[in-house]
Amino acid sequence: MPRVDADLKLDFKDVLLRPKRSSLKSRSEVDLTRTFTFRNSKQTYTGIPIIVANMDTVGTFEMAVVMAKHAMFTAIHKHYSLEEWKLFAANHPECLEAGNVVTGEMVEELILSGADIIKVGIGPGSVCTTRIKTGVGYPQLSAVIECADSAHGLKGHIISDGGCSCPGDVAKAFGAGADFVMLGGMFAGHDQCAGEIMEKNGKKVKLFYGMSSDTAMKKHAGGVAEYRASEGRTVEVPYRGDVELTILDILGGLRSTCTYVGAAKLKELSRRTTFIRVTQQHSQVFS
Ligand code: 5GP
């Protein structure tokens, strides 16, 4: 007989972070840099642990150059040619991870099999249709809380992948225990993204699509194979210019979160996190 798990599972939109006593005088005092030594490879990482998703629209070399200036990295998409890679990859080291999973037992299995960093998220992505096409998924906040607990028990690390739609969601992902947060849609539409700027109804837009969308599969695999369905959508997003302002907006929001909960370092954020369940996150009067 199928089992029904009736435990409460939450998404980013279901919670807010409870403000706490803080002795920080300015957001500039907050240190967002983290240093990790990975369990299996023993490699060390230092940086601001936000990653641009390996989607061919946003995970570009151009994006990586700007992100690197802010000590963040980009998971480069896999569709560049070897020649393009050779040109780019002299001074840009790679990092390996496994995923995607959403349960503690799978995280443990992957870490014990040799993975250092586990990517967490099935179905939360902005252009993902997996939950519609397959009925499979897991609310992302709960997935991160549960997977982080399992990973950290084994001295492993996790990436919260997908489902962040604003800087507050990024903060919630870190608060839930994510070591890294991967973002696709929040970086879409910029100069550093692949694709042309188009004009639609007098507005400038860029194309953004899931890596399992018809668009991506036509582009990279000559179409959707007969045995599978596309699990991604294609959208037009407003053109947003240079990604620099978006980066500063995300980092500014994150520093502000840390001051509200009294975390002088990003490292302290999850320890200072108490989530409050809410039915509404913000006023809808002018939306
Ligand atoms: P976002 O930050 O846009 O909410 O989510 C980005 C994540 O969505 C990516 O890192 C990747 O895990 C996931 N994703 C990207 N394209 C697709 C797709 O076509 N189908 C599915 N199921 N997930 C996708």
Side-chain angles (χ1 to χ4, degrees):
M1 202 167 60
R3 229 184 113 231
V4 178
D5 182 350
D7 286 354
L8 184 67
K9 302 294 174 193
L10 300 167
D11 242 312
F12 296 129
K13 66 170 178 28
D14 300 318
V15 299
L16 287 171
L17 287 145
R18 184 176 186 272
K20 292 194 176 159
R21 188 173 57 79
S22 173
S23 54
L24 290 159
K25 293 193 182 60
S26 157
R27 284 160 178 73
S28 63
E29 290 176 23
V30 175
D31 179 7
L32 296 180
T33 307
R34 298 226 42 195
T35 296
F36 300 122
T37 299
F38 297 119
R39 177 191 196 266
N40 293 313
S41 67
K42 311 290 179 222
Q43 284 200 57
T44 299
Y45 157 89
T46 298
I48 298 178
I50 292 177
I51 310 171
V52 182
N54 50 328
M55 302 167 74
D56 68 357
T57 41
V58 292
T60 61
F61 291 147
E62 293 85 344
M63 186 69 83
V65 170
V66 184
M67 293 296 284
K69 279 201 291 183
H70 294 272
M72 295 188 274
F73 68 90
T74 304
I76 306 282
H77 71 75
K78 63 181 181 188
H79 300 289
Y80 282 116
S81 69
L82 196 58
E83 276 61 42
E84 288 170 313
W85 261 113
K86 276 185 192 158
L87 276 177
F88 180 76
N91 32 20
H92 299 86
E94 289 176 52
C95 179
L96 294 177
E97 38 76 2
N100 281 28
V101 299
V102 285
T103 57
E105 69 265 20
M106 284 305 297
V107 167
E108 286 167 11
E109 177 116 12
L110 289 171
I111 291 174
L112 294 174
S113 303
D116 281 320
I117 317 173
I118 312 301
K119 206 138 67 80
V120 173
I122 294 186
S126 58
V127 282
C128 164
T129 57
T130 293
R131 293 177 184 177
I132 299 163
K133 288 287 173 75
T134 69
V136 176
Y138 209 97
Q140 185 67 1
L141 185 88
S142 289
V144 171
I145 292 173
E146 293 167 28
C147 291
D149 187 48
S150 295
H152 296 162
L154 291 172
K155 300 206 179 318
H157 294 86
I158 66 155
I159 301 173
S160 170
D161 177 19
C164 289
S165 58
C166 56
D169 289 346
V170 179
K172 289 175 192 176
F174 282 121
D179 303 293
F180 295 86
V181 177
M182 179 171 268
L183 306 173
M186 283 180 67
F187 286 122
H190 294 95
D191 289 332
Q192 289 79 2
C193 298
E196 299 306 311
I197 302 169
M198 302 177 294
E199 193 101 7
K200 282 280 163 81
N201 304 322
K203 295 206 168 97
K204 287 182 176 170
V205 296
K206 281 189 101 164
L207 215 57
F208 179 59
Y209 47 83
M211 293 311 290
S212 304
S213 64
D214 291 7
T215 309
M217 285 199 268
K218 272 187 203 132
K219 190 169 169 190
H220 301 298
V224 183
E226 265 178 33
Y227 62 87
R228 63 178 296 179
S230 97
E231 285 179 32
R233 66 176 115 236
T234 302
V235 294
E236 283 162 2
V237 297
Y239 167 62
R240 298 168 69 194
D242 196 321
V243 75
E244 190 80 31
L245 281 180
T246 299
I247 292 172
L248 296 180
D249 195 46
I250 295 170
L251 299 185
L254 201 49
R255 280 194 196 92
S256 204
T257 308
C258 289
T259 57
Y260 276 119
V261 302
K265 297 175 177 190
L266 182 61
K267 185 181 178 180
E268 295 164 12
L269 179 55
S270 69
R271 264 181 277 141
R272 303 284 302 170
T273 291
T274 302
F275 288 118
I276 323 159
R277 273 209 75 192
V278 294
T279 51
Q280 185 177 314
Q281 288 200 66
H282 57 89
S283 170
Q284 304 285 335
V285 175
F286 296 111
S287 59

